[in-house]
Amino acid sequence: MAAPQRRTDIGPPHYKDFLPPVIQKNYGNWKYHEILEPGVMVHVANSGDKIWSVRVASPRLLSTDTLRDIADIAAKYCGGYLRFTTRNNIEFLVSDEKNLNPLKEELKKKGYMMGGIGPRVSNIVHTQGWIHCHSAASDASGLVKVLMDEFAEYFTKKELPNRVRLAVACCTNMCGAVHCSDIAIVAVHRKIPQIDHEKVPNMCEIPSTIAACPTGAISPDPAKKSVKIKEDKCMYCGNCFTVCPPMEIHDPEYDGVAIVAGGKVGNLRTPPKFSKLVVPFIKNNPPRWPEVVDAVKKILNAYEKGAMKHERVGEWIERIGWEKFFKVTGLPFTHQHIDDFLIARETFRTSAAFKW
Amino acid sequence: MAAPQRRTDIGPPHYKDFLPPVIQKNYGNWKYHEILEPGVMVHVANSGDKIWSVRVASPRLLSTDTLRDIADIAAKYCGGYLRFTTRNNIEFLVSDEKNLNPLKEELKKKGYMMGGIGPRVSNIVHTQGWIHCHSAASDASGLVKVLMDEFAEYFTKKELPNRVRLAVACCTNMCGAVHCSDIAIVAVHRKIPQIDHEKVPNMCEIPSTIAACPTGAISPDPAKKSVKIKEDKCMYCGNCFTVCPPMEIHDPEYDGVAIVAGGKVGNLRTPPKFSKLVVPFIKNNPPRWPEVVDAVKKILNAYEKGAMKHERVGEWIERIGWEKFFKVTGLPFTHQHIDDFLIARETFRTSAAFKW
Amino acid sequence: MSELPKTPLLDELEKGPWPSFVTEIKKAAKKNLMAKDELAQLEKSYTDKRGYWKHGGIVGVRGYGAGVIGRYSSLPDQFPNVANFHTVRINSIAGFFYTSDAIKMMCDIWDKYGSGLTNFHGSTGDIILLGTNTENLEPLFAEFSSRGWDLGGSGSAMRTPSCCVGPARCEWSNIDTLDITYSITQEFQDELHRPAFPYKFKFKTAGCAVDCIASIARADCSIIGTWKGNIAIDQDAVKWYEKNGMNIQEEIVNRCPTKCMSYDGKTLKINDEDCSRCMHCIAKMTKALKPTGERGATILIGSKAPFVIGATLSWVIIPFMKMEPPYTELKEFTRKVWEYWDEYGKNRERIGELIIRRGMRDFLEYVGIQPDPRMVKEPRRDPFYFWKEEELVPNSKL
Amino acid sequence: MSELPKTPLLDELEKGPWPSFVTEIKKAAKKNLMAKDELAQLEKSYTDKRGYWKHGGIVGVRGYGAGVIGRYSSLPDQFPNVANFHTVRINSIAGFFYTSDAIKMMCDIWDKYGSGLTNFHGSTGDIILLGTNTENLEPLFAEFSSRGWDLGGSGSAMRTPSCCVGPARCEWSNIDTLDITYSITQEFQDELHRPAFPYKFKFKTAGCAVDCIASIARADCSIIGTWKGNIAIDQDAVKWYEKNGMNIQEEIVNRCPTKCMSYDGKTLKINDEDCSRCMHCIAKMTKALKPTGERGATILIGSKAPFVIGATLSWVIIPFMKMEPPYTELKEFTRKVWEYWDEYGKNRERIGELIIRRGMRDFLEYVGIQPDPRMVKEPRRDPFYFWKEEELVPNSKL
Ligand code: SRM
Ligand code: SRM
Ligand code: SRM
Ligand code: SRM
Ligand code: SF4
Ligand code: SF4
Ligand code: SF4
Ligand code: SF4
Ligand code: SF4
Ligand code: SF4
Ligand code: SF4
Ligand code: SF4
């Protein structure tokens, strides 16, 4: 069978062809929205037209079976229109109110989980992990699964002071952009790369390997036509491995995850914030990483208990102070928490005011 | 005449020998104070005892004539007790209330200026300048004089939203610690040092000269046994001149002052803050630097008008935002205001929220 | 098709309420050998606590340098069907809107040429077709492209731009996020498909400062909608929120970062001159408050993951840019930025890192933008700065 | 004595209300040739817009390496009396208290051996005797030391410690600032007089977080008094402030940084657990509020002027240290810090710069202090940190 005629540089199809008619009509003319249920909201246009969005949890990793199933559901109740959210949830776009309840019924029956709208825990932004990436120090999908199992009620029902955005990245490349999340997991190594001096000369470009090291720990090893690492400068980031695979950094005995917290991206109230390190290391304990779930739970519970309405995790922490954060969560504060990288001094407490 | 017997390592006299009896008695047992006038306050002890402090402006640079005069006044009204403040004002310490008014009378008669207590402009912390320092890019005492002439009423009478701490440093060594003042002047150069290659080999240690350069602009010039400067990296800080005098940096045509603002050291309400650059350069225009006075006045007036009670200059600016600060003061914003040194990126506006 | 491998560890991840990725892999594995080996290798990873993938060499489709991530199992003997197992990035639809037909069409092709596994979507916003063999790449691409779909970005190229739902279904969008995304994607097809930059370059567009696409955290160029006028207040709607349990003073007025709001129990007031357009009050009282006046976008540059100098957030370069098709100003600005990067960027140096290295002045002058206090949180502290010859007119004030 | 030189420019600085330094110089110049040449050279500086001083070689008194700043006129032919014109730093009294007799005694000596010009005080806190010739240094020192006064610091030495007025005349002092200052000055006489450090080292002590000595901005070691208990409230006094025009809610409660205060028009309440001891409320309502409980100091390290890495503020190293004579803990800590600096510090590297260069962990472990969240504004952002062998017990949680 001859392949069809390939075309290049055509770009994606035009978005207009995928918008439900009610959206095409009221494009840019919405008036307000209301959250009807944790998984259902309605947007009302200036014209009075309405569109209902029914949000459903997705593991992001979808088989074609499941994709076909949701396509069928959308065909049945949504005129064939659906979308995915920026956090990988599925949204069924209902133009006709009478389809709303039947849709919900069918979703319930089929075991789809509705929720995630409003001040709740939504889906976890995450990455490839052991499923596909060479660089992973932990698995992403597994961590997402066990965390969302634990926090499912915060997706389907319970409200929190504000949205809590979770993220998981399976290495410090941080494809999951965990650096600005309310609570996030980033997988880390803790051992110096093992250099395969046989392979380095063929597989690696020495100057970019040296340039890849954030701490300048790598220098040429001219004799071996390879590189060497100054041990006490290496903090196991693995960036050398990214550009030079024979610098093997994985070590199952030492790999695991760190937890960061307090980041956000929106500009509401306070400017976007970086996440900060709260737990420097927890060993990989698959399949269900109970220690990780436990630590995240501690943070989420303390936030739920202590935050004022509309306060994001980072805003809450800034109000109570980091000393109080470590106190109320019971997480230990260690040397690893104190910055020693490029902007370290900006993080030092240059003030004599603090809490006990 | 033989010199008296010298002694070494005896340290300063014991402070107890200089404390008025009422202080000795109530040491560490003060209850409260009240500001009676801009230049007079009373401290009340738990015992009920009182001490009145009468504060008088000082140019800091004092002749022995003047010192003798204030010593005489203190002897007359204060049992011989007086002190200097950490901002170089003179404080007459009155233990007996009946001496208070006579002291004030005499001070007035002799032309001493009382004031500086409470939410006002106090004396300007400053440095040696052309009077004694080899490094000065401007004069300090002169700048202090013209500024305090302008703001005298804020010392003797008028209140402001809070204290306004002014400082002057005559070079970027910043002996005046202008880096944490409400408004401060720092003298700067704007020309690359002229190297006297004859003298460098004898007078300078090459490695420390190279290490002195914050931007790494200096490298050895082995041929001349001297150093050379990479022109486009030099930002005229003069630190090389400090360690190596034959790297002459003074240039009367190009030297002048910068103005910084928004710093503070106390922990009240908000943590201590660095001052930030508000005017990158004003030429030296002695004897009265009218452009400098004018710029400082703009800032002080805008603060007086815009700040809430108890707000320091930096707190006011942080509340209204820097874009508004430049708007209300009318000061121009230039390339020099944007950091490009070590922590530059921490100063970039990583947020989409700002004012017009 | 043969039976599924034993996966006792992964089976644990089919328990619990959240939809299970393991179940998804198993569904595919039932009819697809690649998916089956993926499942088996993953179980081994769970057992050994480590990944078994190797870095790809360059694989791709003819004429393109981007869009495929090469990947090889490091245990090809045990898992021969994933010995090579590349992901294909399909450029998604702006706003992530789809139709049932389009989804099914993709499934049909993917079942034929790949593992049957996907990600909707990858973090950048591509449709990720999760794993296929080298020989399937060309036919797969032919199938997609003949139906009007193209590959997304990878490598040192422009990456697939993405955006929030914006005007399609949000009352706050100040700009047409979908149209901007579509327009730049089409404009820069060459830059997307043929890596020629020092490193990757990402665009993300949000309709307002709520930033539902996290553009400020993970886009070399973040385009965030904003407005220049006042906030219109519907006092009756304010009352409605109060009646429905909102504490206006506490939840709205006290949380306003610029303290420019007041409420006396009757009338909500905003001192618009002091509003920084943070979106808090509007987001929490959508029926009562509406931005008015001129619309446009703030252009920010530079966010990225932590390598090499630590993570960065994008920062303001152009406080306000009008955003009307064909977005000529944005496109010209983009080309100028790339030109600068091309001129000075080192290999694997993102645009933000470059600007930090060379300084804002250098960059601003190159792209022809005046300094503005909105570019900084605060001016510099130290008095260490440069002057240009022309600024050094002797004896002149500045 | 001859007539004063013509100083038309400086004369402009005798106008205006603020006391004039020019008048002071003229007073001295009337009877002192050094002061006269100082005046004349200064007029030339005002005319030419530049200084005319040269860096000193090492000058000093026998057995000391510190206390004198060598200075030479670069126009010795024009101004022979200031051809060499060194300042002498006399160690001031803790708290800057003096008696009329002491002042007069100093004036008598200084008129005899110097210019008759002084600074009360220099920025570090020394009494500055502003200019004398090399040959006068020894007799001058003999006069002072025989009367119980000693030199202050200069060069790469400990510098004259200074402090706020503290318990001598302030109701808020949590520590005996004067006694601490006196005690460390005496303890470290050798370090003060004989430069043996990599660079200068300054101590400043403030009785509370108001920091009236600006210790946090300009001391390598800042000692700031604090307390651990609650704030006692005198509700009648609160009323008194209200009656006298204070808006308690606006001026006190709303400005509390931790939002731990409340006022219902009758009773002021503080949730002490959340108070950060910023001192605002106490300072503004001194009659009503008083710290109670344990007293001590926070020890901060590292502030300095901008060279080489930009200005720094001191940061918390020991959140709380008891402060009782003879201040053994403080002195032992200080020696340990110096030992570390001696071991690792480069020439002209301040202690703060050293700690920034080598990292807090290295320093804390050396001086034997546990990490504490009060040392940081916030924990690090990036996941780039080191582990020690002993922390890497495989398969253990942390
Ligand atoms: C559907 C989605 C956009 C899309 O193009 O897909 C979306 C849609 C809406 N967002 Fe969002 N946000 C979406 C991702 C985000 C993100 C991005 C992210 O999480 O990576 C953020 C930034 C989070 C951050 O700051 O770290 C985000 C922060 C918000 C906020 C701000 C919350 C705050 O106060 O900090 C609002 C405003 C509010 O609800 O008060 C908001 C409000 C909304 C509104 C109400 C806007 C509207 O009028 O339509 C939309 C429905 C609300 C909802 O989900 O509760 N949306 N929203 C995204 C849904 C993701 C999901 O599946 O959960
Ligand atoms: C005398 C002096 C201490 C000394 O040992 O010499 C002193 C004495 C007092 N200070 Fe101070 N401060 C003195 C320098 C400082 C400094 C240091 C400096 O300026 O370099 C500061 C830090 C400034 C900063 O934050 O940048 C300082 C910030 C304060 C404040 C905090 C103001 C604020 O709200 O930010 C107070 C509290 C208040 O008055 O509300 C205060 C309060 C006081 C009180 C009321 C304390 C007391 O109960 O006795 C004292 C008299 C007040 C006055 O002058 O209004 N004092 N005060 C210093 C007088 C300097 C002068 O001549 O003007
Ligand atoms: C697939 C995806 C993760 C996911 O599961 O969603 C991904 C996967 C990879 N990323 Fe990423 N990145 C993905 C989004 C991101 C993001 C988020 C974003 O784009 O919004 C980031 C952070 C933002 C940024 O750009 O900095 C990100 C930061 C990185 C980095 C660090 C770049 C840096 O400048 O520090 C690397 C390392 C590199 O480029 O060599 C990287 C490299 C990689 C590589 C290509 C690993 C490698 O060196 O070969 C991963 C391939 C995995 C695989 O086997 O398929 N990936 N990567 C995301 C792309 C899907 C898509 O196209 O939609
Ligand atoms: C006299 C005094 C200024 C004044 O008029 O008050 C002063 C004067 C000088 N300082 Fe200073 N510094 C004085 C307090 C300060 C302070 C403030 C303080 O101590 O509280 C600072 C800022 C805080 C700090 O220590 O960083 C200060 C930071 C410097 C620096 C920069 C040090 C650095 O690490 O960046 C230098 C440069 C150097 O050490 O080579 C310096 C160097 C100098 C020299 C010795 C210039 C030199 O290189 O020869 C000046 C001698 C002037 C002269 O001719 O007498 N001076 N110097 C102050 C000392 C008087 C006293 O002992 O009481
Ligand atoms: S975060 Fe690291 S391991 Fe995970 S997908 Fe990205 S590059 Fe791969
Ligand atoms: S792991 Fe990171 S720190 Fe260590 S050598 Fe490699 S790049 Fe450098
Ligand atoms: S600031 Fe500079 S010029 Fe002024 S006294 Fe200090 S070192 Fe000398
Ligand atoms: S003036 Fe400053 S920047 Fe220029 S060469 Fe000297 S030390 Fe370096
Ligand atoms: S970023 Fe703004 S415009 Fe876009 S979806 Fe979110 S709230 Fe709406
Ligand atoms: S948008 Fe933000 S700054 Fe503006 S009024 Fe609303 S809350 Fe205040
Ligand atoms: S620092 Fe505190 S104790 Fe010392 S004088 Fe100032 S207010 Fe009083
Ligand atoms: S000392 Fe500061 S933090 Fe504590 S109650 Fe008073 S104002 Fe609030």
Side-chain angles (χ1 to χ4, degrees), chain C residues 245-280:
Chain C
M246 182 179 273
N247 182 336
I248 311 276
Q249 181 66 36
E250 182 53 25
E251 292 184 40
I252 306 297
V253 175
N254 290 357
R255 303 302 164 80
C256 168
T258 63
K259 304 284 171 242
C260 68
M261 307 182 91
S262 62
Y263 186 58
D264 58 6
K266 284 192 208 117
T267 315
L268 182 71
K269 280 194 191 133
I270 298 177
N271 179 3
D272 286 285
E273 209 205 328
D274 274 337
C275 164
S276 70
R277 295 158 184 79
C278 82
M279 286 297 297
H280 171 71

Side-chain angles (χ1 to χ4, degrees), chain B residues 1 9 15 27 31 33-34 53 63-66 71-72 86 91 132 134 139 145 309 346, chain D residues 18 24 27 31 46 64 71 85 100 104 111-112 169 171 176 179 193-194 212 255 287 290:
Chain B
M1 185 184 71
D9 296 323
Y15 59 92
Y27 195 85
K31 197 169 170 199
H33 71 277
E34 265 175 38
S53 304
S63 64
T64 45
D65 284 9
T66 300
D72 285 339
T86 60
E91 283 183 344
H132 200 261
H134 65 118
D139 190 38
K145 168 72 175 143
K309 193 159 184 190
E346 290 299 296
Chain D
W18 191 253
E24 293 301 307
K27 280 187 197 168
K31 49 189 193 180
Y46 268 69
Y64 278 33
R71 195 81 3 169
F85 193 61
S100 301
K104 284 186 182 172
D111 277 339
K112 190 165 159 195
R169 199 203 52 196
E171 64 268 34
D176 192 341
D179 201 49
H193 295 310
R194 288 165 207 94
C212 294
R255 302 304 163 80
K287 293 183 181 174
K290 288 265 171 279

Side-chain angles (χ1 to χ4, degrees), chain A residues 62-79:
Chain A
L62 296 173
S63 64
T64 45
D65 285 8
T66 301
L67 280 169
R68 282 196 186 88
D69 193 46
I70 62 172
D72 284 339
I73 298 173
K76 206 159 149 196
Y77 303 102
C78 308

